[in-house]
Amino acid sequence: MSLDLFNRSGVENITTRHIAKELGISQGNLHYHYPNKDKLLETLFSDMLTALKSAERIIEDKPLDPQQMLLSMTDNFKIMYSYRLFFQQNDVIWRRLPEIKEVMTLLFQTKQSEILALIELYKKEGKFREEISARQVEFLAEQFIFNIQSWLNVKDYNPDKVSFAYYAKLLFRLWLPYLHPTEMKTWEKLLD
Amino acid sequence: MSLDLFNRSGVENITTRHIAKELGISQGNLHYHYPNKDKLLETLFSDMLTALKSAERIIEDKPLDPQQMLLSMTDNFKIMYSYRLFFQQNDVIWRRLPEIKEVMTLLFQTKQSEILALIELYKKEGKFREEISARQVEFLAEQFIFNIQSWLNVKDYNPDKVSFAYYAKLLFRLWLPYLHPTEMKTWEKLLD
DNA sequence: GTCTATACAGCGATAGAC
DNA sequence: GTCTATCGCTGTATAGAC
């Protein structure tokens, strides 16, 4: 599978020869199906988008409760990990295919406003402390998305050692200091 | 300058021919001074390390106050930006030169324990709220370093539009919700 | 559709004259 | 030291037989 090759060895190091060999077909044949390497990357990217889309839990009118949000985020992390080239190698890929950069930027901007709306709801419901400024709430939403986008970028994530659920919990630790002390305690237990 | 070429066009796209041309010398001559491309990268990396080292403000026994910390972080961001290939293209570079990965990992681990010690001091001094757990304090230190390592990775940082001081302030917003309400207000003014 | 063969450009790196 | 010339290799992509 070309996905694994790219993930493991890097987009710039994997050639069409490698991919053809892995697939058990000739290089000429590969170029018949995919005119070039970029087309291959684009296909993988749209695969990821559909995977992420189909993993979305139906929100409808009701916002998710913390437990559901954790599950949903775990699913997302799983998908992101299997397509981790788009996060770990974003610089290389964005330089080759600026459209992918644009789509990803837009995607995460949308996610950010969704999460901002959710946080503001939490605040209205009184789960957040009153002294938290609107500016700081925006910052929290920004940080949340930033973490999702970058978690694979620096750390050596090894799915055998640490579970995706663990990283999802770690992510939600961002919220803790914003909550009322009692609410904070119960959340912290949930996230341990 | 090879640094600018790598920063702008990507390590995998810049060849020894490009660099030689930019320097106004022949390719053969370049290979006389730097036996290969990796050696060139290693030199740039150690340049960055010395730049970061010389920018360290003398801490000695006294911990820095918030204002000094902001200035120090602004300096660091400036240096990191001029050597941004090592952050934006970390995946490519780490694959070529695993030693660089190890040194960077170690560097940021050290920074993390330093910042953890500082936070714990703040907590002891009563600037932090009591209900913040030790686990959460560790998390804050981790987040702080994570942000420093990754800030260049996702965003299009444009030094003409937004100042380095702005990003330093943004970084310290991580601390705000951990502080006592009154302390929080004064810090927030500082960070605006 | 799938294959083999090959074209053609670009890469890092070296040889050898000066 | 610095140059030109070139090697050997690998990259993407295409041509043409089956």
Side-chain angles (χ1 to χ4, degrees), chain A residues 6-13 87-92 94-96 101 112 129-136 139 142-143 146-147 149-156 166 170-181 184-185 188 192, chain B residues 6-13 87-92 94-96 101 112 129-136 139 142-143 146-147 149-156 166 170-181 184-185 188 192:
Chain A
F6 284 141
N7 274 338
R8 261 204 304 276
S9 306
V11 169
E12 84 281 12
N13 296 316
F87 303 96
Q88 292 178 335
Q89 307 178 46
N90 58 346
D91 188 85
V92 173
W94 291 358
R95 202 173 266 127
R96 288 182 78 109
K101 176 178 182 171
Q112 185 165 330
R129 299 189 289 133
E130 300 82 23
E131 59 266 36
I132 304 295
S133 68
R135 176 76 189 84
Q136 192 69 12
F139 173 76
E142 196 183 319
Q143 276 289 311
F146 177 75
N147 269 262
Q149 258 195 96
S150 320
W151 69 294
L152 283 166
N153 230 321
V154 173
K155 309 231 174 217
D156 262 323
Y166 171 79
L170 213 54
L171 177 66
F172 278 94
R173 278 201 171 264
L174 275 172
W175 299 52
L176 286 188
Y178 292 89
L179 298 169
H180 267 130
M184 192 174 98
K185 299 284 178 207
E188 186 152 27
D192 223 356
Chain B
F6 284 141
N7 274 337
R8 262 203 304 275
S9 306
V11 170
E12 84 281 13
N13 297 318
F87 303 96
Q88 292 178 334
Q89 308 178 47
N90 58 345
D91 188 85
V92 173
W94 291 358
R95 202 172 264 128
R96 288 183 79 109
K101 176 179 182 171
Q112 186 167 329
R129 298 188 290 132
E130 299 83 22
E131 60 266 34
I132 304 295
S133 69
R135 176 76 189 84
Q136 191 68 13
F139 173 76
E142 196 183 320
Q143 277 289 312
F146 176 75
N147 270 264
Q149 259 194 94
S150 320
W151 69 293
L152 282 166
N153 230 320
V154 172
K155 308 233 172 213
D156 260 322
Y166 171 79
L170 213 54
L171 177 65
F172 278 93
R173 279 201 170 263
L174 275 171
W175 300 52
L176 286 188
Y178 292 88
L179 298 170
H180 267 129
M184 192 174 99
K185 299 284 178 206
E188 186 153 25
D192 223 356

Side-chain angles (χ1 to χ4, degrees), chain A:
Chain A
M1 193 66 169
S2 63
L3 176 59
D4 295 321
L5 289 176
F6 284 141
N7 274 338
R8 261 204 304 276
S9 306
V11 169
E12 84 281 12
N13 296 316
I14 293 300
T15 69
T16 50
R17 284 181 224 263
H18 291 131
I19 297 169
K21 192 171 186 184
E22 175 81 12
L23 291 172
I25 61 172
S26 72
Q27 196 200 0
N29 191 7
L30 178 69
H31 273 93
Y32 173 80
H33 291 289
Y34 297 92
N36 55 47
K37 197 170 151 182
D38 285 347
K39 187 69 203 165
L40 215 54
L41 284 170
E42 281 167 15
T43 306
L44 289 176
F45 183 64
S46 82
D47 287 353
M48 180 180 75
L49 288 186
T50 45
L52 285 173
K53 196 98 189 171
S54 68
E56 270 179 18
R57 320 222 159 196
I58 303 96
I59 309 188
E60 296 290 334
D61 42 354
K62 267 194 198 168
L64 296 171
D65 68 38
Q67 275 290 9
Q68 290 172 311
M69 274 167 38
L70 269 176
L71 284 176
S72 171
M73 198 48 72
T74 306
D75 289 345
N76 275 320
F77 279 179
K78 239 176 258 178
I79 296 167
M80 287 175 68
Y81 180 75
S82 63
Y83 291 91
R84 61 191 177 280
L85 76 155
F86 294 110
F87 303 96
Q88 292 178 335
Q89 307 178 46
N90 58 346
D91 188 85
V92 173
I93 293 174
W94 291 358
R95 202 173 266 127
R96 288 182 78 109
L97 298 163
E99 320 89 80
I100 289 189
K101 176 178 182 171
E102 277 170 40
V103 174
M104 282 180 76
T105 305
L106 199 67
L107 177 74
F108 283 107
Q109 270 173 8
T110 312
K111 291 281 169 202
Q112 185 165 330
S113 23
E114 281 172 22
I115 211 71
L116 181 63
L118 189 66
I119 297 175
E120 278 167 349
L121 183 73
Y122 269 56
K123 210 189 167 192
K124 209 169 280 174
E125 290 177 351
K127 291 176 181 164
F128 272 54
R129 299 189 289 133
E130 300 82 23
E131 59 266 36
I132 304 295
S133 68
R135 176 76 189 84
Q136 192 69 12
V137 165
E138 275 173 42
F139 173 76
L140 173 58
E142 196 183 319
Q143 276 289 311
F144 195 79
I145 298 301
F146 177 75
N147 269 262
I148 295 174
Q149 258 195 96
S150 320
W151 69 294
L152 283 166
N153 230 321
V154 173
K155 309 231 174 217
D156 262 323
Y157 181 73
N158 184 342
D160 295 331
K161 284 193 198 155
V162 189
S163 72
F164 295 103
Y166 171 79
Y167 272 88
K169 284 179 184 170
L170 213 54
L171 177 66
F172 278 94
R173 278 201 171 264
L174 275 172
W175 299 52
L176 286 188
Y178 292 89
L179 298 169
H180 267 130
T182 50
E183 189 105 15
M184 192 174 98
K185 299 284 178 207
T186 47
W187 273 60
E188 186 152 27
K189 273 202 195 89
L190 186 73
L191 298 182
D192 223 356

Side-chain angles (χ1 to χ4, degrees), chain B residues 89-107:
Chain B
Q89 308 178 47
N90 58 345
D91 188 85
V92 173
I93 294 174
W94 291 358
R95 202 172 264 128
R96 288 183 79 109
L97 298 163
E99 320 90 81
I100 289 188
K101 176 179 182 171
E102 277 171 39
V103 174
M104 281 179 76
T105 305
L106 199 68
L107 177 75

Side-chain angles (χ1 to χ4, degrees), chain B residues 17-129:
Chain B
R17 285 174 224 265
H18 291 131
I19 297 169
K21 192 171 185 183
E22 174 82 11
L23 291 172
I25 61 172
S26 70
Q27 195 202 2
N29 192 7
L30 178 69
H31 273 92
Y32 173 80
H33 291 289
Y34 298 92
N36 54 48
K37 196 170 152 182
D38 285 347
K39 187 70 202 164
L40 215 55
L41 284 170
E42 282 168 14
T43 306
L44 288 176
F45 182 65
S46 83
D47 287 352
M48 180 181 73
L49 288 186
T50 45
L52 286 173
K53 196 100 189 167
S54 69
E56 271 179 17
R57 319 222 159 197
I58 303 96
I59 309 188
E60 297 290 335
D61 42 354
K62 268 192 196 168
L64 296 171
D65 67 37
Q67 275 289 8
Q68 289 172 311
M69 274 167 38
L70 268 176
L71 284 175
S72 171
M73 198 50 71
T74 306
D75 289 344
N76 275 320
F77 279 178
K78 239 177 258 179
I79 296 167
M80 287 175 68
Y81 179 75
S82 62
Y83 291 92
R84 61 191 177 280
L85 76 155
F86 294 109
F87 303 96
Q88 292 178 334
Q89 308 178 47
N90 58 345
D91 188 85
V92 173
I93 294 174
W94 291 358
R95 202 172 264 128
R96 288 183 79 109
L97 298 163
E99 320 90 81
I100 289 188
K101 176 179 182 171
E102 277 171 39
V103 174
M104 281 179 76
T105 305
L106 199 68
L107 177 75
F108 283 108
Q109 270 172 8
T110 311
K111 291 281 168 203
Q112 186 167 329
S113 24
E114 281 174 20
I115 211 71
L116 181 62
L118 189 67
I119 296 175
E120 278 167 349
L121 183 73
Y122 268 56
K123 209 189 168 192
K124 209 168 281 173
E125 289 178 351
K127 291 176 183 164
F128 272 54
R129 298 188 290 132

